[in-house]
Amino acid sequence: MYRCILRRLSIEGCVDVSSCLRQQRVSDKKWSVFTRSRLHHRCIHSWISPVTADRGQPLTHFLSAPIMHQQTQSKSMSIARRKRLPSAFPVVKGALHPIQNHVFELNFKNSLVCQERYHKYVAQVQKGGGENAVLRHTQRNKKLLVRDRLRRLLDDEDYLELSPFAGLGLPYGDIPSAGCLTGIGRINGLWCVFIANDATVKGGTAYPITVKKQLRAQDVAMQNRLPCVYLVDSGGAFLPLQSEIFPDKNQGGRTFYNEAVMSAMKIPQVAIVCGSCTAGGAYIPTMAEETVMVHKIGTIFLGGPPLVKAATGEEVTPEDLGGARLHAEVSGCVDHFATVEQDAFEATRNIISTLNFELPEEDEAGLVEEPLHSSGDLLGLAPKTYHHSLDAKLIVSRLTDGSKFQEFKARYGTTLLTGFGRIDGHLVGIVANNGELTCEASLKGTHFVSLCDQRDVPLIFLQNTAPHSGLTLSTDKAEANTNRLKAQGSMMSAVACASTPRITVVIGGCHGADSYAMCGRAFDPNFLFLWPNARVSLVAPGCSEALGHEEEEAVQLDKKLEDESSAFFSSGRLWDDGVILPQDTRKILSNCLKIIKQQDYQISKEKQRTPLLRL
């Protein structure tokens, strides 16, 4: 490679190849070290440019060029990357026609009912394990509540909580917030995933839904390359349900597997031991990169004092068996000793400040245009049923900057809306159901998804799929269904293989195979949220007759679908990342896009192989 560069420089009269090799003795070995630095071609060119500017300089002039050139180039590239291309997207017509007012009003009334249910569940989960458990946690154990811990750790309370309703309505009872809070918040300006046990819920013991929620948070951290902070205060697994917690691939042990993989991916992990850390939970802080432990509150042991006494007859205190002083001074399992919880949070903030990120200044915030229409209108645009859906452009006009939207293939496959817009300054591609996902609509979606993937433009899916597929009653219908099936298969492949970030918001129905093409949960979007009015089921309630059931069986099935298709039923089982209010959608999408973009500012991403170190 270097001989080609030398030959090119020689042709341009920059260097004398033979004298350069003879006098400076540039060896193949030295060049290989240089090329292994993984510099891009443009960066190599920037090192050569001083040579071309001053002909006659030896080759070592650019081989040993000061690092300043690389830093200057990096800064200029960063500035260039942050500069937006000017856009002149047309404004979407967002005004309602008088004929649409009655549908808007019905949707609005339904949204108010759903919103009331939403606030009811919010109040329920914020109580944690109940009044007695809270008193025992704060007064007897002298510990902070989990939300108070987050207030002290995070920069502000404007964090994105994930799946707050997980654990409600389960066969083994209600587990508020699945016994742990997960989400993404800023620490010293850096977006970080947090996983915080709530010891007021069942003593912090892990239920199957708890493990599932923690694994989902780790998936979010890995997919978006976000630092992860564990606030550990757990009594270990809930033994009566051990068969659903311990043995399978995506159960308890996967947490520790993910920790190891995240470390190899150079995703920083910090643990704060601010309570009991028993049995399997003891591995979480010991596998983290750095661990902070609170004196007289935090404990780490595989088996606690009762188990020691039962096994050996020895009586030992929790502090002597696995307290902060023991692990900080003797075992070395923890790296930072904190006298009180507040000190632990300050230590964690200091640790985060050592991470190798360079965040840009948000100097363009004032240039963002707000939508021309009120976000409150989304309550009337959230469909009560599929048949109460209004034009998806009305929703888009209340999400994008300046209500501007550049539609793609506007006259083709009109039951799917595709196009480009900006949300809080971020360029996005929007794919929204505007009716049944026909063959033409699927082909259009395939083209647009591939286009966004080619340009590295994040995709926003606004999903409201048809409640069921129509019956095949003729040869022509069968042929149409075949073509539609093939087209939808193409769209599914495009969505599944797209490397660009994807965010899905279910604004209405999430039904059948159409939901896969619209990046449902199985297609691994970076984030997936539901509006409170959303329905998630194979077919919508009231549509089971189309499947050929008898009347009595159809009534029973419809009742079951009515109960199980609710957005809150879905969120209680962690089939999504949370139920969000329609009027908050733009803000949440903006935060998600900022979170996804943060990985671009990590200085080093690839993991270098290092020799095995034996202690």
Side-chain angles (χ1 to χ4, degrees):
M1 178 180 175
Y2 78 92
R3 293 183 185 276
C4 296
I5 295 176
L6 286 173
R7 189 177 297 112
R8 180 65 180 169
L9 294 176
S10 179
I11 292 171
E12 295 179 358
C14 298
V15 295
D16 184 334
V17 175
S18 59
S19 64
C20 186
L21 289 175
R22 183 176 60 254
Q23 295 175 10
Q24 304 300 332
R25 298 177 182 176
V26 179
S27 65
D28 287 342
K29 183 176 180 181
K30 181 175 181 181
W31 184 263
S32 67
V33 172
F34 172 69
T35 55
R36 279 202 304 269
S37 64
R38 302 192 313 279
L39 293 174
H40 295 294
H41 174 74
R42 68 183 72 173
C43 200
I44 295 175
H45 179 70
S46 73
W47 283 33
I48 297 175
S49 57
V51 183
T52 58
D54 186 4
R55 296 170 185 268
Q57 289 282 355
L59 182 63
T60 50
H61 179 80
F62 71 86
L63 280 179
S64 58
I67 301 300
M68 187 183 301
H69 290 292
Q70 183 183 3
Q71 293 175 341
T72 304
Q73 180 73 5
S74 177
K75 284 185 178 180
S76 63
M77 287 170 61
S78 177
I79 293 172
R81 185 170 63 245
R82 289 173 55 208
K83 186 177 180 181
R84 295 183 198 161
L85 287 173
S87 62
F89 297 160
V91 175
V92 182
K93 294 180 180 179
L96 285 167
H97 295 291
I99 197 173
Q100 298 172 323
N101 285 338
H102 73 288
V103 177
F104 182 91
E105 290 173 3
L106 285 173
N107 288 341
F108 190 86
K109 290 178 181 177
N110 181 65
S111 290
L112 291 180
V113 173
C114 294
Q115 188 170 263
E116 184 178 349
R117 190 177 178 189
Y118 171 90
H119 289 302
K120 171 189 170 185
Y121 284 132
V122 167
Q124 182 177 341
V125 298
Q126 287 187 346
K127 291 179 181 178
E131 185 177 347
N132 291 335
V134 168
L135 289 174
R136 182 167 58 251
H137 182 86
T138 55
Q139 295 184 8
R140 191 181 77 180
N141 298 334
K142 307 298 181 184
K143 295 193 289 187
L144 295 172
L145 296 174
V146 64
R147 295 186 187 275
D148 291 332
R149 287 170 173 167
L150 292 176
R151 290 189 187 97
R152 287 163 170 76
L153 175 64
L154 304 177
D155 293 351
D156 50 52
E157 294 189 44
D158 187 24
Y159 57 82
L160 176 63
E161 186 175 350
L162 299 176
S163 303
F165 303 143
L168 296 183
L170 299 181
Y172 46 79
D174 285 341
I175 314 296
S177 291
C180 69
L181 268 64
T182 63
I184 307 169
R186 283 192 178 98
I187 303 177
N188 284 343
L190 192 69
W191 289 105
C192 300
V193 169
F194 59 81
I195 302 174
N197 295 113
D198 185 354
T200 69
V201 179
K202 313 295 184 181
T205 52
Y207 281 70
I209 194 67
T210 311
V211 174
K212 187 176 182 181
K213 186 171 181 178
Q214 291 173 343
L215 293 179
R216 173 56 188 161
Q218 288 182 318
D219 285 342
V220 170
M222 286 189 281
Q223 194 170 17
N224 302 287
R225 299 190 64 89
L226 297 170
C228 189
V229 179
Y230 305 90
L231 287 80
V232 190
D233 188 358
S234 171
F238 182 68
L239 287 179
L241 294 175
Q242 63 84 28
S243 63
E244 300 176 45
I245 297 173
F246 168 72
D248 206 358
K249 175 183 175 181
N250 288 318
Q251 292 180 353
R254 194 71 178 186
T255 306
F256 316 126
Y257 173 88
N258 286 345
E259 278 197 77
V261 171
M262 289 162 70
S263 181
M265 292 172 65
K266 279 198 169 181
I267 296 175
Q269 298 170 89
V270 181
I272 309 172
V273 182
C274 44
S276 178
C277 199
T278 309
Y283 292 103
I284 290 177
T286 54
M287 292 184 69
E289 292 181 1
E290 292 191 58
T291 299
V292 185
M293 193 168 180
V294 185
H295 183 46
K296 292 185 178 180
I297 290 180
T299 55
I300 301 176
F301 33 59
L302 293 177
L307 188 61
V308 172
K309 184 176 181 180
T312 67
E314 181 184 359
E315 293 189 4
V316 61
T317 65
E319 190 66 23
D320 291 336
L321 183 62
R325 191 179 300 280
L326 172 82
H327 287 301
E329 299 175 0
V330 180
S331 73
C333 285
V334 302
D335 310 294
H336 305 275
F337 178 92
T339 307
V340 293
E341 286 197 64
Q342 183 60 41
D343 291 347
F345 303 133
E346 290 299 326
T348 304
R349 292 179 61 83
N350 292 338
I351 292 169
I352 295 299
S353 67
T354 67
L355 303 184
N356 206 7
F357 283 80
E358 287 185 358
L359 301 179
E361 296 179 4
E362 297 184 6
D363 52 0
E364 297 183 347
L367 303 177
V368 173
E369 298 180 78
E370 291 296 320
L372 300 180
H373 307 280
S374 170
S375 61
D377 293 345
L378 292 172
L379 291 172
L381 297 173
K384 178 180 180 181
T385 66
Y386 178 79
H387 302 291
H388 284 77
S389 301
L390 297 173
D391 192 343
K393 289 181 186 176
L394 298 175
I395 294 176
V396 170
S397 69
R398 286 150 177 86
L399 297 178
T400 58
D401 295 356
S403 298
K404 296 177 181 177
F405 181 67
Q406 176 67 42
E407 191 170 358
F408 178 78
K409 284 187 182 290
R411 293 174 176 264
Y412 183 78
T414 55
T415 57
L416 187 71
L417 178 69
T418 57
F420 297 97
R422 291 189 183 275
I423 295 179
D424 205 16
H426 301 276
L427 179 65
V428 295
I430 296 176
V431 182
N433 288 122
N434 219 8
E436 193 174 352
L437 198 58
T438 62
C439 174
E440 294 79 13
S442 299
L443 292 174
K444 171 181 173 178
T446 302
H447 186 176
F448 184 71
V449 168
S450 300
L451 188 66
C452 289
D453 189 40
Q454 180 75 10
R455 297 176 181 175
D456 289 328
V457 176
L459 283 159
I460 308 292
F461 291 86
L462 302 178
Q463 187 178 141
N464 181 27
T465 56
H468 64 88
S469 300
L471 297 177
T472 304
L473 302 175
S474 66
T475 304
D476 290 341
K477 182 66 174 177
E479 184 177 352
N481 285 346
T482 301
N483 293 333
R484 178 186 178 195
L485 181 64
K486 290 188 290 186
Q488 283 190 359
S490 297
M491 186 173 175
M492 288 183 198
S493 296
V495 172
C497 297
S499 59
T500 191
R502 294 156 296 161
I503 304 171
T504 302
V505 182
V506 181
I507 62 174
C510 176
H511 304 299
D514 290 14
S515 67
Y516 302 143
M518 290 298 293
C519 201
R521 182 63 145 181
F523 278 62
D524 207 19
N526 293 60
F527 298 97
L528 187 148
F529 300 104
L530 304 178
W531 282 359
N533 59 288
R535 293 281 178 184
V536 181
S537 59
L538 185 61
V539 296
C543 298
S544 59
E545 291 180 359
L547 302 178
H549 292 287
E550 295 182 0
E551 183 177 353
E552 184 178 348
E553 188 179 356
V555 170
Q556 292 178 351
L557 183 55
D558 279 337
K559 185 178 185 307
K560 188 177 181 65
L561 288 171
E562 183 73 28
D563 295 336
E564 295 184 356
S565 65
S566 159
F568 301 100
F569 184 94
S570 169
S571 203
R573 284 149 181 79
L574 256 169
W575 299 342
D576 52 71
D577 293 316
V579 178
I580 62 173
L581 296 176
Q583 60 268 34
D584 296 335
T585 305
R586 174 177 160 85
K587 177 183 177 182
I588 289 173
L589 289 177
S590 171
N591 283 341
C592 288
L593 291 166
K594 292 175 184 175
I595 289 164
I596 290 168
K597 192 174 182 180
Q598 179 175 276
Q599 60 188 295
D600 295 338
Y601 306 119
Q602 187 174 3
I603 305 304
S604 57
K605 298 179 183 178
E606 297 181 13
K607 180 67 178 176
Q608 296 289 330
R609 291 189 176 274
T610 55
L612 180 64
L613 177 63
R614 296 191 181 276
L615 295 178

